[in-house]
Amino acid sequence: MSDILIEVEKLYKRYRDGVVVGPITLRTPRGVIYGLVGPNGSGKTTTIRCMLGLQRPSSGTIRIADLDPTSQAKELMRITGYSQELPSFPPFLTARDILKITGKLKGFSGEELRREVSRVLDLSGLVSHADRSVGGYSKGMLQRLAVAQAVMGDPEILILDEPMLGVDPAARVQIREILLELKRSGKTILFSSHELYELERVADVVGMIYQGRVMVEGWVRELLSNNTQGMVVEAEVLRPSLVPSSTIKSIEGVQSLELDGSRIRVQFAEGVDGRERLAEELVKLGAGLVGLRIVNRTLEDLFMEMVRRGANL
Amino acid sequence: MLISRAISTLTLYELRRAIARKRIILLIALIFLAEAAIYLILTLLPAAFIQPFKTYAWIIGLTVPSTILLHILALTIGAAAFSEEYEMGTADFWLTRPMTRIEYFTGKVVGSLAFTSAIVATYTALSLLLSWWIFGPQSRLDLLPTAALASVLSALTFLSIGLAAGELLRRGMLATILAATALFTSLIAETYLAFVGAVTDNQSLRAIAEYLPSWAASRLTATVISAGLGIRGLEVPLLAAAQPAETLPLIIINITLYSTAFLAVSLIRLAKTDITRKIL
């Protein structure tokens, strides 16, 4: 059995209006949470819809659990749960109806179906609203229902498009906990999000899409490691006006510099520890060095680097 | 096993969806009002006129709706079946369940037809009740099930045209307008060709009219009853209004061809193209 459960290879999707998404290449290992991130219109939803067979790729291949989503969508959806961006359900149905329909189509019936519906209603915290028409649901309730119907039947793979969109902090925590619990039980989850902080907390692997292409892909802990990407150091000074940027940039290994009030953020090249030299230089300038610390990189930093790189392409 | 489960689940859903739509409920109410009006108006006819035909009064309750109202209802149901799912974004919901697009299509068509059949069954029962109540015991009721079935079949043409318009345009209102335009254009063309054909005694113009979709759809019920009664339709004034045709096979071929063609268009479009995202 392959360790890669979701494999997208050089996917291109060309729309009639000339918009092109691609090349998208990504690999989701089995049993991880894969976060797909990118600005609006970058191609995340197109990629996800191609993965589900809702749209056909113009070229390239997609294999999910060795299934082709275009020709084997039914088989794929037996083992996959999906929650759509801005979830839409028939407004005249209740949450219980929607879960029953999903359960029936996944092969449940009778007592087994009733138990499964109760389980996911419990999981999503929608028990008290289960018999209300979903037309009257708030955004947050719809998102919770979307996640609930996605986990019906305990699918092996979950594909969630913006599951945190429009939810309140309590629902967000609840969805995050559901995701982590599912991961602990060995499920593979691919989810797209704008919420970089949220993604950093739950994702094992991240793929960053920008202008229709995957610009960065890798394990979150490796991508955020200072050893591979270069150290970021932040110095706090009392007299920032005495710090000419040219002087700091002349320090060996300095790649970039940001001045933000009394804080100076310096990015060093990979493998360079320039803290001592930076401290010496700031003392020499009489800038009133108060403190110096290594700044842990965040996905937001990575994302912004990607955007900058993308803009220069 | 799961194939039939997908289709039956969608069929039941389709019935619920149709009932939840105000436009459909309004049309059903209109049909039932028309039924009541038909029988009330019949009571205004002189007793001597109605006497020979009063045991056939149930016929009119079946034939009048099937000349036009049933087809408006059928095209409205059909036009919304696919298009509303795109508009609401719920096509994604259905097509990300374990079902093929062919099952989705079949469930939608069967559901739409089941709903149309339920309406036909209801107004058939209503016409029987009203005719019995107003004119006393009715005769040749052995024809009633066949006549009701014929009404359902006659609705297939414009149901299919509605389905195709809905799938092609993926906009409910536009699809309804397009399908209704097809119905009324066909009815007008049919009447005009028949009129000019009669005035000029040009048989080919009348023959052209027989190829139009409304020609067969609006005549099937009356023709089936007429054939069942074993007399020419014109001999029964209540049936004459519905203009039964002389050839049942031609009507069936017409309905079969139009329905098959438009269902095929819908299926090909659904099976071969991307699923449209929710219209925001």
Side-chain angles (χ1 to χ4, degrees), chain A residues 47-100:
Chain A
T47 306
I48 285 177
R49 288 172 64 80
C50 287
M51 283 178 185
L52 297 160
L54 293 169
Q55 292 182 212
R56 288 169 166 73
S58 304
S59 62
T61 56
I62 302 173
R63 302 291 295 178
I64 301 179
D66 283 331
L67 295 166
D68 172 10
T70 305
S71 59
Q72 296 169 291
K74 181 173 179 175
E75 291 77 8
L76 176 64
M77 294 322 296
R78 283 208 184 106
I79 56 163
T80 306
Y82 165 61
S83 126
Q84 120 196 62
E85 182 190 16
L86 303 170
S88 300
F89 300 105
F92 52 87
L93 296 181
T94 65
R96 196 183 300 279
D97 292 332
I98 286 158
L99 297 174
K100 272 187 183 172

Side-chain angles (χ1 to χ4, degrees), chain B residues 127-140:
Chain B
S127 70
L128 184 61
L129 279 173
L130 289 171
S131 57
W132 202 294
W133 181 45
I134 298 169
F135 299 105
Q138 298 292 296
S139 56
R140 293 305 311 270

Side-chain angles (χ1 to χ4, degrees), chain A residues 13 49 53 56 74 149, chain B residues 92 97 101 103 271 274-275:
Chain A
K13 180 68 188 172
R49 288 172 64 80
R56 288 169 166 73
K74 181 173 179 175
Q149 56 82 37
Chain B
D92 278 20
R97 308 302 97 178
R101 292 194 190 188
E103 285 169 343
D274 289 346
I275 299 305

Side-chain angles (χ1 to χ4, degrees), chain A residues 236-293:
Chain A
E236 192 178 351
V237 293
L238 294 173
R239 292 174 288 277
S241 58
L242 297 179
V243 184
S245 57
S246 56
T247 310
I248 304 299
K249 278 182 179 168
S250 67
I251 298 172
E252 193 191 338
V254 169
Q255 284 196 323
S256 66
L257 173 72
E258 273 177 48
L259 296 170
D260 177 16
S262 61
R263 292 174 198 278
I264 302 162
R265 189 181 259 219
V266 182
Q267 160 91 56
F268 288 98
E270 191 180 329
V272 176
D273 182 353
R275 282 176 292 176
E276 197 178 350
R277 281 278 291 121
L278 177 65
E280 276 174 14
E281 212 49 67
L282 291 171
V283 169
K284 210 189 292 173
L285 289 166
L289 180 64
V290 178
L292 199 80
R293 67 183 184 94

